[in-house]
Amino acid sequence: MQLRTVLHRRFRDESGTEFIYLANSAAILALDEPTAAVVDAFVTEDGVDSEPWLKEQAKPSASELTLNDLIDLGAIRPVDETPAPRADLPPMPFPLATLVLNVTNKCNLSCTYCYEYGEDKLFDESTAGKALMDEKTARDSIDFLMRSSGDRPQVSITFFGGETLLNFEAIKTAVLYAEEQGAQNAKRVHYSLTTNATLLTDDIVDFLTTHRFGITVSIDGDKDEQDRHRSYKSGKGSYEVMEPRIKNLIKKNKERNGRPIGARVTVTAGATPVVDTYRYLAGELGFDEVGFAPVTAGLGRDYALGEQGYERLLHEFGVLGEEYVEAAGRGESHGFSNLGDLVRELHQGVNKAHPCGAGLGLVGVSTEGEIGLCHRFVESKSHSIGTVQEGLDEKARAEFLAQAHIDKKTDCAQCFARPLCAGGCYHEAHVRYGKATAANLHYCDWIRGFIDLGLKSYGRIQATNPAFLARFDQ
Amino acid sequence: MSDSQDNPITDEPELEQEPARKQPRIIACNQKARQLATMVLARRGAARALTQDPPPTQYPYGCTTVFAPGWEVDSGNGTHGLCQPIERDLYDCYHTCYWPAQVPDGVTNAPSWTSSCGAPMQDWKSIDLVFP
Ligand code: SF4
Ligand code: SF4
């Protein structure tokens, strides 16, 4: 029988243990040396005939046992086997889990790279909706979530903007109404919000911690970094306003034993090394988690990360990764959330048919109540899938999801990163290629490099403190 | 994998070893791999049970969770000293369960065991014993 090793990634830890990540199942296996050699022997395009191969082996019976294990575990399969069909769309209408409310499309800052108001101008003044979501739309949105979330016992509402706190009224209305409706519908409701922290007052902090908000602060780093791109419209930097407010928020949240507070850093060309930014945000300011996102940008923007920028970023992620692995070895968590999320997904064996929940478990709502695939699409009229008043346009939703399925992305068919990347962010593809269902081929190297870092880190934790990984068990 | 003996993950599903080999050939590391390994082992286990090995321990459910004396033999190896008529329980088991070790089975060996008994409430006494 002609057999070959399936699409995979091999990696090893320092002690030389060999691992394999299987792209079909997202399983991770540790292999002893002879087993690894069998895996490698079958890495060919056309396959290897197993019978003569076995006869050539020093210990054919041992090799046969190993080969059978690998076949049964799906690491080596017949060349002519048609791959098992990937999961199609789940039964539609798929119940919603998360609603992202864009409570305002105004911002008190004007960050140069912002995809809404920056140079890429997805936000078009002439077609823009209302600046602020009114209270009725906020309540309609909650009703919509309650009716569209099936029998889910728990749903999430995320507030997004613009700068969310410019419309704290709508947030308050939505939360109080959701509490009431959640109780009636026997659903627990979780809240989260993204803010630039410039408008945080004691009252707001009080409200947010009382309702156990998951809070993410958009911040780029220390004063210099923050003021480089995140400025007021007058050009004045935002740092001095934010710092005391952030410290106050973190302090109060700790006192009340709130959920972890994260910093979200947008990485642009020429930014401070992420290691320094991490130290500053986690160490000085006291954030529980820090996540980094390379800026979304059309070609040619001077803040866009070029190839070198990505390489440097990956290198710096590696340095933070070291710290993460060391902390894991001691059984401690580390706030580098990019890697934390990746290690969790690797451990669970996440295997995505779609890159993210946009349009599936998650949708975004505009200030006027229009529903978009996600918060980022909300104001771009191109991917509207209904309104909170009238509900989802299930046909448009299902059509988009069918087109966005990983099996439609032929470019990704031979990529080991497929189970986790699945072609990447629709919005990024929309900006870059004008087509939300396109694969984001411009950042494959970056994604694969990052997943390699995750695999390596996973292997090392497996060797030093596998008990740490149990916290990710589902 | 030199420390695999102390390594807790070796308690997780792991494919069977050749007897002489100490360290595992393959360790299922993440959750997905463990699910796969469990499936593979279960499939192999089921196939083996039918051929040579004793079946795995199973726990009784249904009628046998209630201890109803009557179908055992008494101290003299007879059935007369028991507190319930043996036939009653035997009939229940024969009729509702396939339990060949304890009662004559109605499927292959004693299909007509109860043919003399039309209405068990009245004439259970007509059911006779079967001696293999
Ligand atoms: S977009 Fe690139 S990295 Fe992502 S799955 Fe497709 S080929 Fe792989
Ligand atoms: S499409 Fe992009 S921005 Fe929207 S939810 Fe998905 S990953 Fe996030």
Side-chain angles (χ1 to χ4, degrees), chain A residues 25 39 45-46 48 89 95 144 149 151 157 212 230 234 263 284 291 297-298 303 309 339 371 424 431 441 447:
Chain A
S25 59
V39 166
E45 188 58 29
D46 307 326
V48 174
L89 280 185
F144 164 73
S149 52
D151 52 8
I157 301 171
R212 294 187 56 74
R230 291 192 186 264
S234 65
E284 295 274 309
Y303 49 80
L339 189 57
I371 303 171
V431 172
L441 299 176
I447 291 286

Side-chain angles (χ1 to χ4, degrees), chain A residues 215-221 246 250 260-266 277 281-282 285 287-293 335 337-338:
Chain A
I215 301 169
T216 304
V217 177
S218 307
I219 179 174
D220 288 351
I246 290 174
I250 292 176
I261 294 191
R264 183 188 190 280
V265 179
T266 304
T277 303
L281 295 175
L285 291 186
F287 279 103
D288 302 293
E289 289 175 356
V290 183
F292 298 89
S337 61
N338 300 66

Side-chain angles (χ1 to χ4, degrees), chain A residues 1-2 42 48-57 60:
Chain A
M1 200 179 4
Q2 293 293 115
F42 284 82
V48 174
D49 192 344
S50 55
E51 268 170 47
W53 179 83
L54 276 174
K55 286 196 191 113
E56 287 163 18
Q57 301 311 300

Side-chain angles (χ1 to χ4, degrees), chain A residues 110-122:
Chain A
S110 48
C111 304
T112 49
Y113 50 65
C114 178
Y115 53 80
E116 298 227 22
Y117 314 107
E119 294 169 58
D120 283 325
K121 281 245 186 304
L122 284 179

Side-chain angles (χ1 to χ4, degrees), chain A residues 26-28 346-349 458 462, chain B residues 28-35:
Chain A
I28 298 176
L346 286 171
H347 180 70
Q348 292 169 350
Y458 188 86
Q462 188 77 251
Chain B
C29 296
N30 65 350
Q31 282 193 289
K32 193 54 87 54
R34 287 185 222 155
Q35 285 162 11

Side-chain angles (χ1 to χ4, degrees), chain A residues 26 86 345 349-356 405-406 418-422:
Chain A
R86 274 170 167 270
E345 290 193 330
V350 167
N351 195 355
K352 299 174 185 168
H354 291 94
C356 65
H405 194 279
I406 180 66
R418 198 180 57 187
L420 292 162
C421 170

